[in-house]
Amino acid sequence: MDKNATVMPVAGAKPVVAEFVERPLSQASIAYASDGRLFVTGTPLDSTPRHGLQFWGRKGENQWERFAPRVIGPDLDATNPAVRWTAPHLTIVADKLFIAFADDQGCARIATGDVARPGADMAASACLAPDAPSPSLFVDDDGLGYLLWGGGWIARLAPGFAKLAEAPRFLKPDAANFAETFPAGKDWPVRTRIGTDGAFMVKHGGKYWLGSSEQTGRLRTATTDLFLAEGKTPYGPFSRRMLAVPHAGESSVASMPDGTLAASYDPVCEDDFAFFCHRIGIVPLEAVPDGRLRQAGRILTEDSAVAGRHALVTSKTMRDPSVTVGGDGAYYLVGTLDGYGYQFPDGGIKVWRSTDLENWTDLGFAWQWTGLSYEFGNIAELWAPEIRWVPAESTFYLAFSIMERGVGGKTWLFRSTSGKAQGPYENTGSSYLVKGIDGFLYPEGKDLYFLWGGGRLAKLNADRSGFVDKPTQLVDTAGDHIGYEGNGIIKVGDTYFVTGAEWHGPLRTHGTYDMMYAASQSIAGPYTRRRLGAPHGGHGTPFRDTEGRYWYTMFGNDPTAPWRMHFALVPIEIGDAMSIRTLPLEATPQHNAATGH
């Protein structure tokens, strides 16, 4: 998963812009002629006639010329408005212009014309392959042509591209890429296909790049992403698929005049985090040291408050960051360190301090495996520390989990005996407080609540060694957990907001680790239907700063997060309508003195 991070913007990265706005198109395809001219095409979505083929050539800045050549071929009628041809794909080889398309019967065909005369008649082949959606043509350096379609079907073409020269085969990642056999009945996309739609191929850097798009459901919305895999021949073997351009829609990749590659960006309108929909943008691709191709760091393809932000602490890897405001008005930070947690007996819990939420000072270890009153029989890892200032007691608490392999997780609660974030800390009980992980403390007056394990809530007793009553399981109105791990609580006015982490999309390989939330007038519920609050936010902590602004902590735990395992802050707005939303990158959270938020 770490090798699939795609966004990671450089300073000053800019959102992708719509280059072509003449006509709403889906299934966009782009191609560059040797003289630098850009051609675009796709399936028209407006009310104009859809029969025949249409494509456009760029004449200048925001100036396009439309071409609608007469396509002549067996059993084709380009004059009947009821006939609909779809998913045209452009390929330019020297002075030849090819358009692969699906006719009204779903048959793949190839139309051939001249780059010098793009509006002239084009000769179309007979049906090359039935039931072949979104076909494309790849022409290798030796002149051999290959028809691709669907999610990865390929067949070599006879000379002249008039018929198939072999039986079709399906391309997918080489099984040798995966050390383990996945469970029966599990359709893991990362193993079984490159994508589901619009397969195409380009050759670059001596490698064959197979591309295909798939609607993954990342971010709890209809994201359609572009995936690439590399191979040594047109038939592979191919690498595991790599997420190259998030939100691209059914896309294509073309060689630009400078020899680099670019992908078309044509999101679906159901994608809540795309910058626009059914308009065509151009996303330059870049190679990274391990050989992958991905969107260039200077381009943003996701319209969210998270996509353009940067990590604040990069000296240590960090997961599950927690921030609290101390009695001195400073901010204190802890998190899971050393990758996936320090292993017993090394390391411990470090604390950082800040007065401005920008610059963080490492205060060193506040706790190092003492006072647990528990013996480990296996490898034990320190996870998900939470730091909380409790005003009624004028001191800090630490809740942290230890995952023992083969045994499961347990969570401890420690209290600072000095009133300082640096400790020292002592155990509030005789051993661990609860079975389960991800403990979170919520103080309310003299009461102190403990939340853990995906939504279990109980009020602590006076000495904080146990609970005064049985735990309550917090769920939303549909009976679902609000987040399966990493829960937190914040109260705004008379409304409680519970946050939590949830994966959306295909398992953890190409999904997103998002912050969900729900609201209630009572800490025990009932809670509203859960909603997405912070894309990529996952396991973090909501808090209010000394100026009345709201923030959520984030560490980057999915392939499209803009960084991996480093602490950052996302500005959020918590409104009277029982909702949380992330603020745009350029916005600063404002304090409303009248409402308190």
Side-chain angles (χ1 to χ4, degrees):
M1 184 172 65
D2 290 338
K3 291 186 177 181
N4 277 283
T6 60
V7 182
M8 293 184 286
V10 300
K14 301 295 183 182
V16 58
V17 297
E19 303 275 350
F20 178 81
V21 296
E22 301 291 311
R23 183 77 59 82
L25 300 174
S26 68
Q27 302 169 309
S29 174
I30 61 174
Y32 289 87
S34 58
D35 60 4
R37 282 181 298 163
L38 172 63
F39 292 91
V40 302
T41 190
T43 303
L45 296 175
D46 57 11
S47 59
T48 58
R50 300 180 182 182
H51 64 286
L53 296 178
Q54 303 173 63
F55 61 101
W56 290 259
R58 185 156 62 185
K59 298 170 59 178
E61 189 71 22
N62 297 321
Q63 292 184 322
W64 296 85
E65 182 178 4
R66 175 178 173 269
F67 304 107
R70 188 174 59 157
V71 180
I72 302 171
D75 303 317
L76 287 179
D77 182 358
T79 63
N80 183 358
V83 173
R84 185 168 185 246
W85 301 348
T86 60
H89 184 278
L90 293 163
T91 302
I92 294 177
V93 180
D95 61 349
K96 291 295 183 183
L97 174 69
F98 302 96
I99 301 181
F101 65 97
D103 66 18
D104 57 313
Q105 301 301 312
C107 274
R109 297 176 183 254
I110 294 174
T112 304
D114 296 320
V115 175
R117 298 184 303 130
D121 292 353
M122 300 185 75
S125 69
C127 176
L128 297 172
D131 192 21
S134 301
S136 66
L137 170 67
F138 167 66
V139 182
D140 206 348
D141 298 338
D142 57 8
L144 291 178
Y146 299 83
L147 183 72
L148 294 100
W149 68 92
W153 288 97
I154 188 173
R156 183 168 53 82
L157 293 162
F161 308 157
K163 62 180 181 179
L164 300 186
E166 63 182 3
R169 67 186 77 179
F170 189 76
L171 304 177
K172 61 182 180 179
D174 184 10
N177 294 317
F178 309 100
E180 300 176 0
T181 300
F182 53 95
K186 290 282 188 179
D187 180 15
W188 289 13
V190 70
R191 299 172 184 254
T192 61
R193 59 182 181 265
I194 308 304
T196 57
D197 302 290
F200 64 86
M201 188 172 290
V202 294
K203 193 173 184 181
H204 182 75
K207 300 176 182 178
Y208 295 86
W209 295 90
L210 173 63
S212 184
S213 300
E214 181 167 337
Q215 188 171 110
T216 58
R218 296 181 307 105
L219 298 163
R220 201 176 172 84
T221 189
T223 52
T224 300
D225 304 316
L226 172 63
F227 295 89
L228 293 175
E230 63 176 276
K232 296 180 180 180
T233 75
Y235 303 114
F238 285 97
S239 66
R240 65 174 65 197
R241 75 179 192 176
M242 297 165 280
L243 182 48
V245 184
H247 308 279
E250 189 170 318
S251 177
S252 66
V253 170
S255 180
M256 294 197 291
D258 63 1
T260 60
L261 297 178
S264 59
Y265 179 86
D266 182 23
V268 298
C269 291
E270 295 78 13
D271 186 339
D272 293 333
F273 293 94
F275 280 105
F276 46 83
C277 69
H278 296 320
R279 298 293 193 272
I280 299 176
I282 306 298
V283 177
L285 303 182
E286 65 182 8
V288 292
D290 65 9
R292 287 176 295 128
L293 289 176
R294 67 177 185 201
Q295 69 180 68
R298 65 183 185 275
I299 295 292
L300 299 177
T301 58
E302 179 176 297
D303 186 12
S304 76
V306 174
R309 302 194 71 83
H310 290 80
L312 297 172
V313 175
T314 57
S315 58
K316 294 282 290 183
T317 59
M318 186 182 300
R319 302 169 63 85
D320 319 312
S322 169
V323 168
T324 192
V325 184
D328 58 357
Y331 305 94
Y332 295 88
L333 162 71
V334 298
T336 303
L337 303 178
D338 195 38
Y340 293 85
Y342 282 119
Q343 292 185 5
F344 179 83
D346 299 322
I349 299 174
K350 271 194 171 186
V351 176
W352 280 261
R353 183 179 187 270
S354 174
T355 57
D356 59 7
L357 294 178
E358 289 287 338
N359 302 289
W360 295 83
T361 301
D362 186 344
L363 301 181
F365 287 106
W367 178 84
Q368 289 183 278
W369 297 97
T370 58
L372 291 174
S373 300
Y374 185 86
E375 298 292 330
F376 300 108
N378 299 284
I379 294 174
E381 297 169 325
L382 181 58
W383 286 7
E386 287 278 349
I387 189 168
R388 183 68 50 216
W389 168 256
V390 178
E393 300 180 33
S394 297
T395 195
F396 289 87
Y397 280 78
L398 283 176
F400 55 87
S401 303
I402 299 175
M403 178 64 75
E404 187 178 4
R405 294 185 186 177
V407 177
K410 299 175 177 64
T411 298
W412 278 257
L413 181 61
F414 275 61
R415 176 174 47 223
S416 173
T417 59
S418 67
K420 298 179 180 179
Q422 301 95 302
Y425 285 84
E426 65 177 4
N427 197 339
T428 62
S430 59
S431 184
Y432 60 86
L433 180 66
V434 295
K435 290 183 178 181
I437 62 172
D438 295 348
F440 180 91
L441 280 167
Y442 174 70
E444 188 166 61
K446 293 184 179 180
D447 293 332
L448 194 56
Y449 292 86
F450 197 75
L451 182 65
W452 80 98
R456 303 191 75 190
L457 177 74
K459 186 164 69 173
L460 288 159
N461 57 24
D463 65 7
R464 316 311 189 194
S465 62
F467 304 117
V468 298
D469 49 21
K470 292 183 179 180
T472 298
Q473 181 67 47
L474 304 183
V475 295
D476 73 358
T477 55
D480 293 329
H481 56 239
I482 298 164
Y484 86 101
E485 66 179 9
N487 291 117
I489 297 178
I490 189 170
K491 188 177 184 183
V492 179
D494 60 355
T495 302
Y496 296 90
F497 292 85
V498 172
T499 61
E502 192 69 61
W503 281 96
H504 296 119
L507 300 181
R508 302 190 181 197
T509 53
H510 296 115
T512 48
Y513 188 64
D514 305 313
M515 181 266 273
M516 306 296 291
Y517 75 92
S520 176
Q521 302 298 310
S522 167
I523 193 171
Y527 280 86
T528 59
R529 188 70 179 263
R530 65 178 185 168
R531 298 167 63 187
L532 192 151
H536 313 285
H539 185 161
T541 302
F543 69 95
R544 180 179 176 181
D545 70 16
T546 57
E547 298 180 31
R549 303 171 301 184
Y550 292 98
W551 303 87
Y552 192 77
T553 65
M554 174 183 159
F555 67 94
N557 193 38
D558 64 62
T560 50
W563 59 85
R564 291 282 295 157
M565 294 197 297
H566 290 301
F567 162 68
L569 290 172
V570 178
I572 60 175
E573 182 178 75
I574 303 180
D576 291 321
M578 305 179 81
S579 65
I580 295 177
R581 72 179 184 96
T582 53
L583 293 176
L585 181 61
E586 65 275 9
T588 300
Q590 300 295 321
H591 175 236
N592 186 322
T595 63
H597 45 81

